[in-house]
Amino acid sequence: MSENLLTKAFINGSWTNGGGGVFDVLDPATGHPICQVADCVANDVEKAIDAAEKALETWKLKTPKERATYLLAIRDHLLQSKDFIATTLTRENGKPKTEALGEVGFAASFFEWFAEEGKRQYGETVPSPVPSKRFITIRQPAGVAALITPWNFPIGMVARKVAAALAAGCTCVLKPAEDTPLTALIFAKICQDAGIPSGVVNVIPCSRTRVEEVGRILCHSPKVRALSFTGSTAVGQWIYSQCGQTVKKLSLELGGDAPFIVFPSADLDAAVQGAMASKFRNTGQTCVTANRIFIHESIHDEFVKRFSLAMEKELKMGSGLEQGVTQGPIINKRQHDRLVNLVKGAVASGAKLVCGGSSPGGLYYTPTILTEVTPEMPISKEEIFGPVATILKFSTEEEAIKLANMSQRGLAGYFYSNNLSQVWRVAEAMEVGMVGINEPMVSTCEAPFGGVKHSGLGKEGSKHGLDDFSHLKLLCFGV
C-alpha cells in the first residue's frame, strides 16, 4: 500500500519536498517503517504561512454559502475514501480499524456541521444609549490560522479545527503530529480534490527533532493571527508563553485527568460498560479517558469483579488491522516505557494488581486493573494514556467531589448515579469543562468540547467552535 501514500508536504496547492530531508513513520504494531515523509524546516513553514496569507485575500471574501459548498465537498470526499483513510490511520496510529472507520465519519460530521453553522455567524443590533448613534456587530475571520494536531485522532482533530477555521473565513497551516502525518497528507489531497483554492489549506509535517523549531515559527509569526493546539498540558503551556508577543487568538485543548465516579444508586452494569467505553477506547490513549475511577466502598468489590470479567470477555489485543481486535499497541516506545514505569511505581507503593500489568512484546501492554490506589501515587496525578484502570474507594459524595477536583487538569469528568438531586449537585461541583452523566461518550460536532484549569482555553465544535477563528467587530453609526 505504501506506493499509494502521500509523503510530501502540501504548500500552496503543490506537493513539495521538505528542506530537512525525510523522516520515518513507524507502524506501532510492528515497529517497522511504513514510509518516509518530508521533514519541513523553517523555510517551508514560512512559505506555507505566506501562501495562506495570500490565499486569505480571496477566501475571506467568499460568502458563507460559497465556503459551505467547499466544506460539503470535503465531507463527501472523506466518506468516499473512508476505508483507505481508516487503513492508513490504523497503520500509523495502531488503533483498531473499526475505531478508525468511526473516526473518519466523525471527521466528516464536522465539515457538514460547520458548512451550515458558518451561515449563522450572526451579528447583533445593540440599543443605543443616545439618539445620535446606532450600533451593530459583525463577525470577521481572524486571519491565517496555525493548527497543531495530535497523534491519537489523526483525522478527527484535523477536521474539528480545519472545518471551523474554513467556515469562519480563515486559511490554514496545519502541522500534524510527527507520529501520524500520513492521514493529514491524505486530508490535504482530499482538499485538493474538493477544489479548495491553493494556499487555503497547507500541511507541513516534520520530525520530532524539528517540532520546537516549527512550533516556534508558528507562534512567533505576526502573519499567523490564530493558533489552535491539541496536545499535552506541558506543550500547551509552552505555546501559550510563545504566542504572547504576537497576541494572537489562542485555543488550547490540553491534557485531561478525568474522574469517573460510581455512586451507590448507579446501575452497576451500565457503569461497568461506561467505564469500558471510556477507559479502553483507542487503548486508553485519549485525553477524555477515565483516568481515575472512584467507586463507593459499598459497591467497590462487586464493581471490580464485573469490570474485570467484562475486560476478559470483551478486550482483545493485537494489530488494529486484525478482525476483532479492540486494543492496539501504545503509540511509541517513549509512551510505552512511561506506562510501564507508572504501573511498576504504583505496585511498589502498595497498589494491588488485579489483572494485566505486563508487556508481552513490542509496544503492547495488557489491559490492567489496579486497586488500593491512593491519591498520592504518581499514577493518580499523571495522565496515564494507556489501558490501565486505577480504582480508588470513597465513602461520601463530598469526598468523591474533593478527590475528583484535586487535579489541576479539568477536561472531562464522568459519574453514574440515579439520584436526581445528587446528579445536579455533582454535575455542578465537578471542575471540568464536560460532564458525562450516566454516559461515557461526550464528544460530537454539535456540542462544545473543551476544558478548564490546565486543560486549556476555548471550545471546539458546536456554534462556539467558530469563536476562536473570528473577531467580533463593532460598527458605530452617527445618524
Side-chain angles (χ1 to χ4, degrees), residues 4 27 51 54 133 170 204 210 231 235 255 291 327 384 406 458 462 469:
N4 297 321
D27 181 343
K54 179 65 176 176
K133 296 179 183 178
C170 296
I204 48 168
R210 300 190 192 278
V235 175
N291 210 52
Q327 302 294 287
I384 297 171
M406 284 178 64
S462 80
F469 297 106

Side-chain angles (χ1 to χ4, degrees), residues 115-329:
E116 297 304 319
E117 201 59 30
K119 301 173 186 177
R120 291 185 280 271
Q121 270 201 299
Y122 300 135
E124 300 173 309
T125 58
V126 181
S128 175
V130 296
S132 60
K133 296 179 183 178
R134 300 291 185 271
F135 299 95
I136 64 171
T137 64
I138 61 173
R139 281 278 178 185
Q140 291 187 306
V144 174
L147 312 174
I148 304 176
T149 56
W151 52 262
N152 57 344
F153 290 94
I155 191 66
M157 298 303 97
V158 166
R160 196 155 69 184
K161 295 180 190 299
V162 173
L166 296 185
C170 296
T171 53
C172 306
V173 178
L174 170 64
K175 204 294 286 181
E178 56 274 17
D179 288 304
T180 56
L182 298 175
T183 304
L185 293 171
I186 294 173
F187 175 75
K189 182 62 165 62
I190 281 173
C191 289
Q192 189 177 41
D193 293 345
I196 301 296
S198 296
V200 171
V201 175
N202 305 273
V203 181
I204 48 168
C206 72
S207 62
R208 185 173 301 280
T209 58
R210 300 190 192 278
V211 165
E212 185 172 341
E213 172 191 5
V214 170
R216 194 181 302 275
I217 294 169
L218 295 174
C219 291
H220 289 184
S221 173
K223 298 175 182 178
V224 174
R225 298 310 314 151
L227 188 147
S228 179
F229 168 77
T230 296
S232 72
T233 294
V235 175
Q237 290 169 328
W238 180 82
I239 288 174
Y240 199 177
S241 69
Q242 294 297 309
C243 286
Q245 60 185 271
T246 51
V247 197
K248 52 176 64 41
K249 286 185 77 78
L250 191 62
S251 55
L252 302 171
E253 195 264 281
L254 308 179
D257 192 8
F260 187 104
I261 309 171
V262 184
F263 291 102
S265 66
D267 178 328
L268 206 54
D269 287 331
V272 167
Q273 285 306 307
M276 290 288 292
S278 178
K279 178 72 257 183
F280 297 110
R281 183 167 63 109
N282 197 19
T283 319
Q285 299 175 107
T286 82
C287 54
V288 294
T289 191
N291 210 52
R292 298 167 295 146
I293 301 176
F294 301 103
I295 309 297
H296 190 269
E297 59 188 7
S298 67
I299 56 173
H300 174 274
D301 293 350
E302 183 63 21
F303 177 90
V304 173
K305 176 184 175 181
R306 296 190 196 186
F307 191 36
S308 59
L309 286 173
M311 288 170 58
E312 182 180 355
K313 179 181 178 181
E314 299 175 27
L315 301 182
K316 178 183 178 182
M317 190 167 54
S319 166
L321 294 175
E322 295 175 14
Q323 190 171 5
V325 164
T326 64
Q327 302 294 287

Side-chain angles (χ1 to χ4, degrees), residues 263 296 394-402 422 425-426:
F263 291 102
H296 190 269
F394 71 92
S395 301
T396 66
E397 177 185 313
E398 292 75 19
E399 182 188 7
I401 292 170
K402 182 179 178 180
Q422 183 177 64
R425 289 194 304 269
V426 176

Side-chain angles (χ1 to χ4, degrees), residues 28-91:
T30 65
H32 299 148
I34 300 170
C35 62
Q36 292 183 318
V37 168
D39 195 359
C40 290
V41 297
N43 187 53
D44 302 312
V45 181
E46 296 289 358
K47 287 180 180 178
I49 293 172
D50 288 344
E53 184 184 43
K54 179 65 176 176
L56 181 67
E57 297 174 6
T58 52
W59 183 254
K60 69 181 180 181
L61 297 179
K62 292 187 181 296
T63 67
K65 187 173 182 179
E66 288 174 320
R67 291 196 290 264
T69 301
Y70 287 106
L71 267 64
L72 292 174
I74 294 175
R75 175 204 62 184
D76 293 344
H77 280 78
L78 281 168
L79 295 176
Q80 289 164 11
S81 302
K82 191 173 185 177
D83 189 75
F84 177 59
I85 297 170
T87 300
T88 304
L89 195 161
T90 294
R91 293 183 72 204

